[in-house]
Amino acid sequence: MAKELTLPARLDFASLGSLYEELKEARGEDIVLDASKVTHLGSCGLQLLASAQKSWDGDGHSLDR
């Protein structure tokens, strides 16, 4: 079963440290991102999510939204 990660309401530079740590801890697992509370997606947040998708694809695990 995939691990679920709930994204913060604001995905901006200030919130990326904790999200990065959560993603780093979940590396090697299938995960589902719950973006239902996201109201702001900054460019840094988008870059982190795109990078995570590429990493999960390369590892052969799923990262679903």
Side-chain angles (χ1 to χ4, degrees):
M1 181 170 209
K3 178 179 181 173
E4 185 172 313
L5 275 173
T6 302
L7 300 176
R10 292 188 58 84
L11 274 172
D12 54 13
F13 186 76
S15 68
L16 293 185
S18 60
L19 178 57
Y20 173 76
E21 289 301 320
E22 287 184 82
L23 287 169
K24 192 167 75 169
E25 288 176 20
R27 185 94 187 250
E29 299 180 53
D30 294 335
I31 62 172
V32 174
L33 298 177
D34 176 2
S36 62
K37 294 183 170 118
V38 175
T39 59
H40 174 82
L41 176 60
S43 60
C44 292
L46 181 59
Q47 286 177 325
L48 178 62
L49 293 177
S51 176
Q53 182 70 63
K54 188 172 183 175
S55 295
W56 261 251
D57 287 346
D59 291 346
H61 291 282
S62 67
L63 187 146
D64 294 324
R65 301 157 300 286

